[in-house]
Each structure stands twice: as C-alpha cells, then as structure tokens.
Coordinates of all heavy atoms in Angstrom, one line a residue:
R1 N 79.5 76.1 106.0 CA 80.1 76.3 107.3 C 81.6 76.1 107.2 O 82.5 76.9 107.9 CB 79.5 75.5 108.4 CG 78.0 75.8 108.6 CD 77.4 74.9 109.4 NE 77.7 75.3 110.9 CZ 77.2 74.6 111.8 NH1 76.4 73.6 111.7 NH2 77.4 75.1 113.1
E2 N 82.1 75.2 106.5 CA 83.5 74.8 106.4 C 84.2 76.0 105.6 O 85.3 76.5 106.0 CB 83.8 73.6 105.7 CG 83.5 72.3 106.5 CD 82.0 72.0 106.6 OE1 81.2 72.7 105.9 OE2 81.6 71.3 107.5
A3 N 83.5 76.6 104.5 CA 84.1 77.7 103.8 C 84.1 78.9 104.7 O 85.2 79.7 104.7 CB 83.2 78.0 102.6
N4 N 83.1 79.1 105.5 CA 83.1 80.2 106.5 C 84.2 80.1 107.4 O 85.0 81.1 107.8 CB 81.8 80.3 107.2 CG 81.8 81.6 108.1 OD1 81.9 82.6 107.7 ND2 81.5 81.3 109.5
D5 N 84.4 79.0 108.0 CA 85.6 78.7 109.0 C 87.0 79.0 108.3 O 87.8 79.7 108.9 CB 85.5 77.4 109.6 CG 84.3 77.1 110.5 OD1 83.7 78.2 111.0 OD2 84.0 76.0 111.0
L6 N 87.1 78.5 107.2 CA 88.3 78.7 106.5 C 88.6 80.2 106.2 O 89.7 80.7 106.3 CB 88.5 77.9 105.2 CG 89.8 77.9 104.5 CD1 91.0 77.6 105.4 CD2 89.8 77.1 103.3
A7 N 87.5 80.8 105.8 CA 87.5 82.3 105.4 C 88.0 83.0 106.7 O 88.6 84.0 106.6 CB 86.2 82.8 104.9
Q8 N 87.4 82.6 108.0 CA 87.8 83.3 109.1 C 89.2 83.2 109.4 O 90.0 84.2 109.9 CB 87.1 82.8 110.2 CG 85.5 83.2 110.3 CD 84.8 82.8 111.5 OE1 85.2 83.0 112.6 NE2 83.7 82.2 111.3
I9 N 89.8 82.1 109.2 CA 91.3 81.8 109.4 C 92.1 82.7 108.6 O 92.9 83.4 108.9 CB 91.5 80.2 109.2 CG1 90.9 79.4 110.3 CG2 93.1 80.1 109.1 CD1 91.0 77.9 110.0
L10 N 91.8 82.7 107.2 CA 92.6 83.4 106.2 C 92.4 84.9 106.4 O 93.3 85.7 106.4 CB 92.2 83.0 104.8 CG 92.4 81.6 104.5 CD1 92.0 81.4 103.0 CD2 94.0 81.3 104.6
F11 N 91.2 85.3 106.9 CA 90.9 86.8 107.1 C 91.6 87.2 108.3 O 92.3 88.3 108.3 CB 89.4 87.0 107.3 CG 89.1 88.4 107.5 CD1 89.1 89.3 106.5 CD2 88.7 88.9 108.8 CE1 88.7 90.7 106.7 CE2 88.3 90.3 109.1 CZ 88.4 91.1 108.0
A12 N 91.8 86.5 109.4 CA 92.5 86.8 110.5 C 94.0 87.0 110.3 O 94.6 87.8 110.6 CB 92.4 85.7 111.7
L13 N 94.6 86.1 109.5 CA 95.9 86.2 108.9 C 96.1 87.5 108.1 O 97.1 88.2 108.3 CB 96.4 85.0 108.3 CG 96.5 83.7 109.2 CD1 96.8 82.5 108.3 CD2 97.5 83.9 110.2
F14 N 95.2 87.7 107.2 CA 95.3 88.9 106.3 C 95.3 90.2 107.1 O 96.0 91.1 107.0 CB 94.1 88.8 105.3 CG 94.0 90.1 104.5 CD1 94.9 90.2 103.4 CD2 93.1 91.0 104.8 CE1 94.9 91.5 102.7 CE2 93.0 92.2 104.0 CZ 93.9 92.4 103.0
V15 N 94.4 90.3 108.1 CA 94.2 91.5 108.9 C 95.4 91.7 109.7 O 95.8 92.9 109.9 CB 92.9 91.5 109.7 CG1 92.9 92.5 110.8 CG2 91.7 91.6 108.8
S16 N 96.0 90.6 110.3 CA 97.2 90.7 111.1 C 98.3 91.3 110.3 O 99.1 92.1 110.9 CB 97.6 89.4 111.7 OG 98.1 88.6 110.7
A17 N 98.4 91.1 109.0 CA 99.4 91.7 108.2 C 98.9 93.2 107.7 O 99.8 93.9 107.5 CB 99.8 90.8 107.1
A18 N 97.7 93.3 107.4 CA 97.1 94.4 106.7 C 97.4 95.7 107.6 O 97.6 96.8 107.1 CB 95.7 94.3 106.3
V19 N 97.3 95.5 108.9 CA 97.4 96.7 109.8 C 98.8 97.3 109.7 O 99.0 98.4 109.6 CB 97.1 96.3 111.2 CG1 97.4 97.4 112.2 CG2 95.6 95.9 111.4
T20 N 99.8 96.3 109.7 CA 101.1 96.7 109.5 C 101.4 97.3 108.2 O 102.2 98.3 108.1 CB 102.2 95.6 109.9 OG1 101.8 95.2 111.3 CG2 103.6 96.1 109.7
A21 N 100.8 96.7 107.1 CA 101.0 97.1 105.8 C 100.6 98.6 105.7 O 101.1 99.5 105.0 CB 100.4 96.2 104.8
A22 N 99.3 98.9 106.3 CA 98.7 100.3 106.2 C 99.7 101.2 106.9 O 100.0 102.4 106.6 CB 97.4 100.3 106.8
T23 N 100.2 100.8 108.1 CA 101.2 101.7 108.9 C 102.4 101.9 107.9 O 102.9 103.2 108.0 CB 101.6 100.9 110.1 OG1 100.5 100.7 111.1 CG2 102.6 101.8 110.9
R24 N 102.9 101.0 107.3 CA 104.2 101.2 106.5 C 103.9 102.1 105.4 O 104.7 103.0 105.0 CB 104.6 99.8 105.9 CG 105.3 99.0 106.9 CD 105.7 97.5 106.2 NE 106.7 97.7 105.2 CZ 107.9 97.7 105.3 NH1 108.5 97.6 106.7 NH2 108.7 97.7 104.4
D25 N 102.6 102.2 104.9 CA 102.3 103.0 103.7 C 101.7 104.3 104.2 O 101.3 105.1 103.3 CB 101.3 102.2 102.8 CG 101.9 101.1 102.1 OD1 103.1 101.0 102.0 OD2 101.1 100.3 101.6
R26 N 101.6 104.6 105.6 CA 101.0 105.7 106.2 C 99.6 105.9 105.5 O 99.2 106.9 105.2 CB 101.8 106.9 105.9 CG 103.2 106.8 106.4 CD 103.3 106.7 107.9 NE 104.6 106.7 108.4 CZ 105.3 105.8 108.9 NH1 104.7 104.6 109.0 NH2 106.5 105.8 109.3
A27 N 98.9 104.7 105.5 CA 97.5 104.8 104.8 C 96.3 104.7 105.8 O 95.2 104.7 105.4 CB 97.4 103.6 103.9
H28 N 96.7 104.8 107.2 CA 95.6 104.9 108.0 C 94.9 106.2 108.0 O 95.4 107.1 107.6 CB 96.3 104.7 109.6 CG 96.8 103.4 109.8 ND1 95.9 102.3 110.0 CD2 98.0 102.9 110.1 CE1 96.7 101.3 110.3 NE2 98.0 101.6 110.3
L29 N 93.6 106.1 108.4 CA 93.0 107.4 108.7 C 93.5 108.2 109.6 O 94.0 107.6 110.7 CB 91.4 107.1 109.0 CG 90.6 106.6 107.8 CD1 89.2 106.3 108.4 CD2 90.6 107.5 106.6
A30 N 93.8 109.4 109.4 CA 94.6 110.2 110.5 C 94.0 111.6 110.6 O 93.5 112.2 109.5 CB 96.0 110.4 110.0
T31 N 94.0 112.1 111.7 CA 93.5 113.4 111.9 C 94.8 114.3 112.0 O 95.2 114.6 113.2 CB 92.6 113.6 113.2 OG1 93.4 113.1 114.3 CG2 91.4 112.9 113.1
D32 N 95.3 114.7 111.0 CA 96.6 115.4 110.9 C 96.3 116.9 110.6 O 97.2 117.5 110.1 CB 97.6 114.7 110.0 CG 97.1 114.8 108.5 OD1 96.0 115.2 108.3 OD2 98.0 114.5 107.7
F33 N 95.3 117.5 111.0 CA 94.9 118.8 110.8 C 96.1 119.8 111.2 O 96.5 120.7 110.5 CB 93.7 119.2 111.5 CG 93.2 120.6 111.2 CD1 92.7 121.0 110.0 CD2 93.3 121.7 112.1 CE1 92.4 122.3 109.7 CE2 93.0 122.9 112.0 CZ 92.5 123.3 110.7
F34 N 96.7 119.5 112.4 CA 97.7 120.3 112.9 C 99.1 119.9 112.5 O 100.0 120.5 112.1 CB 97.7 120.5 114.5 CG 96.4 121.2 114.9 CD1 95.5 120.5 115.5 CD2 96.4 122.5 114.8 CE1 94.4 121.1 116.0 CE2 95.3 123.2 115.2 CZ 94.2 122.5 115.9
A35 N 99.3 118.6 112.4 CA 100.6 117.9 112.2 C 101.0 118.1 110.7 O 102.2 118.3 110.4 CB 100.6 116.4 112.5
R36 N 100.1 118.3 109.8 CA 100.5 118.5 108.4 C 101.2 119.8 108.2 O 101.8 120.1 107.3 CB 99.3 118.3 107.4 CG 98.4 119.4 107.5 CD 97.3 119.1 106.5 NE 95.9 119.7 107.2 CZ 94.8 119.5 106.5 NH1 94.7 119.0 105.3 NH2 93.7 120.0 107.1
R37 N 101.0 120.8 109.2 CA 101.7 122.0 109.3 C 103.0 122.0 109.7 O 103.8 122.9 109.4 CB 100.9 123.1 109.9 CG 99.4 123.3 109.4 CD 98.6 124.2 110.3 NE 97.3 124.3 109.8 CZ 96.3 124.8 110.5 NH1 96.5 125.2 111.8 NH2 95.1 124.7 110.1
Y38 N 103.4 120.9 110.4 CA 104.8 120.7 110.9 C 105.7 120.4 109.8 O 105.4 119.9 108.8 CB 104.9 119.7 112.0 CG 104.0 120.0 113.1 CD1 103.6 118.9 114.0 CD2 103.5 121.2 113.5 CE1 102.8 119.1 115.2 CE2 102.6 121.4 114.6 CZ 102.2 120.4 115.4 OH 101.5 120.6 116.5
S39 N 107.0 120.7 110.0 CA 108.0 120.3 109.0 C 108.2 118.7 109.1 O 107.7 118.0 110.0 CB 109.3 120.9 109.5 OG 109.9 120.3 110.8

C-alpha cells in the first residue's frame, strides 16, 4: 500500500510534466486530416 501511494505521487508529477512534453514534441494524437494540407 505504501508503494502504491508513493507510485501515485510520482505518477501524478510525471503526468503533469508529460502532457506539456507531448505538446512541445507535437506528439499528441491529432485529427489533422485537413490541417496537414495547410501551409
């Protein structure tokens, strides 16, 4: 249970940074069917 609680803490911190990291890398899933045709 202690390992689970610590994992939850670290996972929350990891995800809080991972969302922005994915944005910076343009790695989010995207529906750019039309936008990829734009300049």
